Amino acid sequence: MIEIRPVKIEDANELLEIDIRNRELFETYSAADRKDSDYQLYNYRKNIEKYLQDMKNDDGYHYVIIQKEENKIIGTIDLFAVVRHNIQSCMMGYALDEAYSGQGITTIAAKKVIKIAFNELGFHRVEAGAQPTNVGSVRVLEKAGMIREGLNRSNVRVKGEWKDHYLYAIVNENF
């Protein structure tokens, strides 16, 4: 069905195409303030170069979601906001091509990346946020085994407006 693997520079074109196709949806929930000029192949390559450096520096981990039957990238899933030492936590975020939504794909990808976070990267806690209005994302986090711990009021600016986010988390001994 799907697999996830670390992003590669060669993925830039497919990722750009996904973001252009899903721009309205992604910008509804994303904190990234994007301009038309951001949707250029050069910028995607530059971003991937930064992601590769993040992975080397233990600052973040960036994966693509691949639909195996079509051997096609259909989304991304990331671990970011890495905190080590006595905390050992990170945040998880994801984006899936709308054409593939409602099939359980993001839930599977989330479970896979949580397993990587705990078993390969040594994290103790993985957190994620979802706007209360983003019912699909809330469902993904709950089906992936994450627990809603509270509401972060007005904590992320999306399209110039401060939005509430539910805080979800899972800890290693609960996975």
Side-chain angles (χ1 to χ4, degrees):
M1 178 154 181
I2 68 150
E3 65 182 34
I4 65 169
R5 66 155 169 78
V7 68
K8 298 188 283 194
I9 198 76
E10 298 82 17
D11 300 331
N13 196 52
E14 279 185 87
L15 294 175
L16 172 60
E17 290 174 7
I18 289 169
D19 281 359
I20 289 171
R21 238 185 351 266
N22 294 275
R23 182 174 180 176
E24 185 176 338
L25 172 67
F26 291 171
E27 288 183 2
T28 299
Y29 298 107
S30 174
D33 288 325
R34 292 191 169 188
K35 304 175 284 300
D36 289 342
S37 60
D38 293 328
Y39 292 90
Q40 302 293 325
L41 187 57
Y42 168 80
N43 291 324
Y44 278 69
R45 287 188 180 125
K46 202 164 80 174
N47 290 341
I48 292 172
E49 287 173 3
K50 182 190 177 315
Y51 297 157
L52 296 173
Q53 193 62 47
D54 285 349
M55 291 189 276
K56 285 181 186 173
N57 295 339
D58 192 33
D59 289 330
Y61 297 88
H62 309 276
Y63 303 92
V64 292
I65 303 169
I66 299 171
Q67 209 280 345
K68 285 200 286 194
E69 292 78 15
E70 299 174 40
N71 192 29
K72 159 181 180 176
I73 297 172
I74 59 171
T76 59
I77 189 160
D78 303 293
L79 300 171
F80 60 97
V82 170
V83 180
R84 290 296 189 175
H85 308 291
N86 291 333
I87 306 288
Q88 297 297 331
S89 74
C90 63
M91 295 285 295
M92 177 178 67
Y94 42 79
L96 185 72
D97 189 325
E98 191 173 22
Y100 295 87
S101 67
Q103 301 176 37
I105 291 169
T106 310
T107 300
I108 293 167
K111 287 179 178 179
K112 287 178 182 250
V113 86
I114 290 167
K115 186 174 182 177
I116 290 169
F118 292 152
N119 296 342
E120 295 177 26
L121 301 174
F123 288 106
H124 173 71
R125 178 180 170 92
V126 177
E127 299 179 357
Q131 290 180 37
T133 57
N134 191 345
V135 177
S137 191
V138 166
R139 193 168 38 247
V140 164
L141 298 173
E142 291 174 352
K143 286 184 176 181
M146 300 185 89
I147 305 297
R148 185 184 308 170
E149 294 187 339
L151 177 69
N152 292 327
R153 294 180 304 110
S154 192
N155 76 318
V156 178
R157 189 170 50 217
V158 178
K159 295 173 93 171
E161 185 179 332
W162 289 100
K163 300 286 187 176
D164 294 347
H165 278 72
Y166 289 135
L167 172 64
Y168 280 84
I170 188 167
V171 293
N172 199 349
E173 61 262 12
N174 295 341
F175 184 68

